[in-house]
Amino acid sequence: MDPHAEHHDHEAELPEEEKVRRAGHVVLDAVVAADVGGDDPDKAQAAMELVFEHLLEIDAIELLLDEETEELELDISPLIGGVMLVVRRLVAELAARDGVDEEAVVMSVRAALDAAAG
C-alpha cells in the first residue's frame, strides 16, 4: 500500500477548522517559498509547486463534480479561511506594534496596494 495515499486518506477526513488552520500555515510557507529561489526562477517555481501540493493534500483546494448538473465546482473556502487567519493576525500584530487601531493598518495597506497598482 502506498503510504502517501494512506496519508491523503487521513487528511481528507480533517475537520474544516483544521483545514483552515493548516492552510494558514501553508500561506506562510508560500511567503517563505517566494524567497527560496533567490535569482533562480526554477528553484522558486519548485518551491511554489510544493506549497500548492500541500494545499491539495489538506483539501484546502478541492475540485468537486455536481452529479446532477455535471458541472465542476472549485472549493477554496479552507484556503480563503487560512488567508484570513494570517491577514487578521498580521493586522493585529502591526496595530499593536505601532500603537494604532486595526482600521489604520488596513487603510495603510489599502494605500500601499493602490500605489503599487499605480
Side-chain angles (χ1 to χ4, degrees):
M1 177 181 281
D2 179 9
H4 182 63
E6 184 176 317
H7 177 71
H8 183 73
D9 289 343
H10 171 71
E11 298 289 351
E13 299 173 16
L14 290 174
E16 192 71 12
E17 299 82 26
E18 182 63 8
K19 289 180 189 179
V20 168
R21 185 189 70 78
R22 289 187 184 192
H25 281 280
V26 175
V27 168
L28 292 172
D29 293 343
V31 171
V32 174
D35 293 331
V36 164
D39 291 337
D40 185 341
D42 290 336
K43 282 185 182 179
Q45 179 67 27
M48 291 307 291
E49 285 175 8
L50 186 59
V51 166
F52 186 72
E53 285 177 29
H54 288 161
L55 289 171
L56 293 173
E57 285 174 8
I58 64 172
D59 292 329
I61 299 173
E62 287 187 282
L63 190 59
L64 309 167
L65 173 64
D66 183 330
E67 292 182 15
E68 287 181 21
T69 63
E70 296 185 2
E71 291 182 1
L72 291 174
E73 177 182 315
L74 182 63
D75 180 9
I76 61 169
S77 13
L79 172 58
I80 296 300
V83 169
M84 288 302 302
L85 282 177
V86 170
V87 171
R88 291 180 73 180
R89 180 61 190 185
L90 291 173
V91 167
E93 292 271 341
L94 287 170
R97 183 197 70 187
D98 295 346
V100 299
D101 62 21
E102 292 181 9
E103 185 177 330
V105 173
V106 170
M107 288 173 37
S108 174
V109 172
R110 284 185 192 277
L113 288 173
D114 289 345

